[in-house]
Each structure stands twice: as C-alpha cells, then as structure tokens.
Amino acid sequence: MLRIECHNLPAEVSGDVVVVIDVLRMTTTAAALFESGLQELMVVADIGAARELAAVRGALLVGERGGVELDGFDGGNSPLEYVGRDLKGMCAVLCSSNGSRAVEEVAGADELLLGCINNARAVAQSAVSLSQDRISLVCAGTGNRLSFDDVLAAGSIARELLKLEPEAALDDGARLALLALESSPGLGASLMSTGHGRTLAQLGFTADIEFAAALNRSCVVPIRSLRRPATFVDEPLRMPTVV
C-alpha cells in the first residue's frame, strides 16, 4: 500500500519519492521557469557557490535572500519575472533562502521533484508513477520554522495523490495538511494571511502570492536528473538520475 507522508520542515528523508515544496516562492518559480522554456535548473543553497557555478556554466543566476533579489543576480525569485520570457535552451542557477536549502537536505532521495499549488496534479501523477511504496512531501519552511503556506501546498498535492490512490495510508503530517486545506477559505486568501505571505506583500509581491495560489495551472514537473549540483529538468526531458 502506498504511504503518503508530510514533513513540516526539511529532514533527512531518503528512499523513494520526495517532493520539495516552497510555494512562496522557489518551487512556484521553478515551474514558471520551465514553462518559459528553460532547459535545466541547478539549485544551490550557498550564494558564493551559486555565483561560481553560474559563471562556469554561463547560466542565468536567480534567487533572493529575505525575499529580495541579490546584487549581481540576473533575476529574483518572483515567478512573474519569468512568465512569457523566452528561455528556450537556457540554463539557470537558483539560490533561495529556504527552498534551495531544503533540496540539499533531502539529497538522499531516490527521486526528487519540485512541487507547488500550480503543478499539484502533475506532480502527484509523476510521484505515483515513480513511487514504489512511499511519497514524502517536504515543506521548506521559513527560516527553519514551519510555514503554513507550504503546508497548504502539501495538502493540495496530497489531495491530488488521494484522487489517484484512494486507499493510500496517510501519516499524521499528511492528515494535518489535508485538514488545513479543507478548512481554508480559499488558497489565495489563505496564502496571503500566512506570515510569509504578509512579508512578501509588504515587499510588493502580492501578485506573486495570487499567482502561486492558482491550482493546477501548470503541467510542468521539475525532476532531478543530477545530484551534484542538484539539477532539474522538466519531466518530458527526464534522463536517468546520476550521481
């Protein structure tokens, strides 16, 4: 029987299929980048390492600290920066406050996907097709603390997983994520009311929050194709995972 787990903070999760969730905004931005034609996305937590990798690879350097684009970067962590841009055939390095760190913390996973509300159904479909017996939803959190926005996104993915596997066994974390989603007055309003959402709104990123709340608007599934550095491609371009 398939097991669905939800971790409210990054943990040393290994084994089957892991979905990292940083809905405000890294995993939402990753999906937007691939929708605009990006070929390859490298996720790096350390700023210096990200700069060096982007220089060596001739890649776009995007990301943030504290929600704000870093000096010398080619772009920030706003998905709307990349919607409609022609990124066909390009590579990017993404360095963010929380999502990039979460990706590195679950590096031992057999299969690693990037999930958000925008691609909840597509990620669920891919996770079920890849899984042997366990799917772990890992919330990135904010500053090493639980982030309710990520829990809501995990609930959105868990709900799509249950549509595909109604008999799946849920751990307590997954049950709580589903309860949070079911009690939500609406994804947009709920994301806006979270601590992280309020911070982004104060920084002028209200439109990003509204964009991130659009359920199943994307069919993109960023999936890891290389472990070091953690490198993602869109699922149709997927190649065997190598170390």
Side-chain angles (χ1 to χ4, degrees), residues 27 80 125 202 205:
T27 53
L80 292 175
Q125 292 170 341
Q202 291 169 0
F205 293 113

Side-chain angles (χ1 to χ4, degrees), residues 2 17 123-132 135 161 164-165:
L2 177 66
V17 178
V123 162
Q125 292 170 341
S126 293
V128 167
S129 70
L130 292 166
S131 177
Q132 299 299 314
I135 296 171
L161 287 168
L164 299 170
E165 296 285 340

Side-chain angles (χ1 to χ4, degrees), residues 149-166:
D149 48 298
D150 290 339
V151 174
L152 289 168
S156 299
I157 296 172
R159 183 171 60 185
E160 297 294 338
L161 287 168
L162 284 177
K163 291 177 183 178
L164 299 170
E165 296 285 340

